[in-house]
Amino acid sequence: MRSLLRTLERATLRDIALVCLADALVGASFGAISVSGGLPLWVPVAMSVLVFAGGSQFAAVGIVLSGGGPLAAVVTGLVLNARLLPFGFTVTDVLDGPRWRRLLGAQLLTDESAAFTLLQSGPRRRRAAYWISGLALFVIWNLSVVAGAAAGGLIGDTDALGLDAAFPAVLLALVLPALGERRTRTAALAGAAVAVAATPYVPAGLPVLLALAGLLFAARPGTPGTPDAPAAGAPGTVHGEAGAAPDRAVRLAEEVR
């Protein structure tokens, strides 16, 4: 672990610590809401260890506390967690080694751990960012859920304290640095528009998945703001160097003659 910490910059470690702090507030509110709503303490604790997905946990508990059945709660959680599937493809390079390590790494996949990984360049830094953020968030989240559940109804209305806004605010802060490119901004805005338009008409969780349609704009070739690919045979490219080699050979032969 010490070698992993030395791999990342101090600014990245600071950002991970800030995200852990925000998640601790959200985790404590989740534990308190669950227990104060009538669920036994072991339910939010077990969900945090086995599911480890804040949005899905809140949605499932909300359905149960509002009178919904366990099946509806499970299906809703699965739909919300389906957004992690494309994230898994983007960070698959950091999950290596024996099977137990890969299973543990898959359990640590969250929006935050994927975001920190994607911000890094190079396999070593990506691996360090994923494991440090994933393990730190897992420990902090579960400890805060236990503390919140133990506190029970002492926190009261968590929405009035603004704790419900901490989680989306953290995700927004992680996304902002990636919006510097015009193509990325276009894809993000298109996905957001699709999600907002679909929200009144589809079940909770589906708007997030429908927002992936914005990726179609990022994949379109020739989008304004993206550099054009160098033409074949242009100087500085492999084809250009290869094309220039016969010319140099001709000039050298003439000089020898």
Side-chain angles (χ1 to χ4, degrees):
M1 178 61 71
R2 186 172 299 178
S3 61
L4 291 178
L5 292 173
R6 293 174 180 173
T7 303
L8 298 180
E9 298 177 354
R10 184 172 299 180
T12 302
L13 296 176
R14 179 199 60 205
D15 292 342
I16 292 175
L18 292 175
V19 170
C20 288
L21 176 60
D23 275 22
L25 297 176
V26 180
S29 66
F30 169 74
I33 290 172
S34 302
V35 174
S36 63
L39 296 177
L41 187 146
W42 67 267
V43 172
V45 174
M47 287 183 65
S48 298
V49 174
L50 300 176
V51 179
F52 187 47
S56 299
Q57 293 177 221
F58 270 106
V61 167
I63 289 176
V64 172
L65 294 182
S66 61
L71 180 59
V74 171
V75 171
T76 301
L78 289 175
V79 170
L80 285 174
N81 268 2
R83 74 188 188 281
L84 297 177
L85 180 60
F87 290 166
F89 291 118
T90 63
V91 300
T92 184
D93 58 303
V94 304
L95 301 178
D96 54 2
R99 179 175 297 180
W100 67 267
R101 185 186 301 173
R102 283 178 286 162
L103 289 175
L104 174 60
Q107 177 69 1
L108 300 179
L109 178 60
T110 62
D111 304 276
E112 300 94 329
S113 61
F116 280 117
T117 303
L118 295 176
L119 288 174
Q120 304 302 315
S121 59
R124 187 176 181 184
R125 292 171 62 87
R126 285 169 57 86
R127 188 176 295 107
Y130 183 85
W131 284 99
I132 290 175
S133 61
L135 288 172
L137 287 168
F138 184 83
V139 173
I140 294 297
W141 175 263
N142 282 278
L143 290 178
S144 63
V145 169
V146 172
L154 297 180
I155 294 180
D157 187 5
T158 56
D159 291 351
L161 297 177
L163 296 181
D164 57 319
F167 192 68
V170 169
L171 296 182
L172 178 61
L174 292 174
V175 168
L176 284 178
L179 299 180
E181 298 181 0
R182 184 175 179 180
R183 185 172 62 176
T184 304
R185 287 198 304 272
T186 303
L189 291 175
V194 171
V196 171
T199 296
Y201 307 104
V202 300
L206 286 182
V208 178
L209 299 179
L210 295 177
L212 294 175
L215 295 176
L216 297 176
F217 291 87
R220 287 174 58 188
T223 303
T226 58
D228 295 332
T237 65
V238 175
H239 295 291
E241 294 295 334
D247 296 336
R248 288 196 295 267
V250 171
R251 289 196 299 268
L252 181 60
E254 291 176 351
E255 292 176 0
V256 172
R257 288 198 298 268

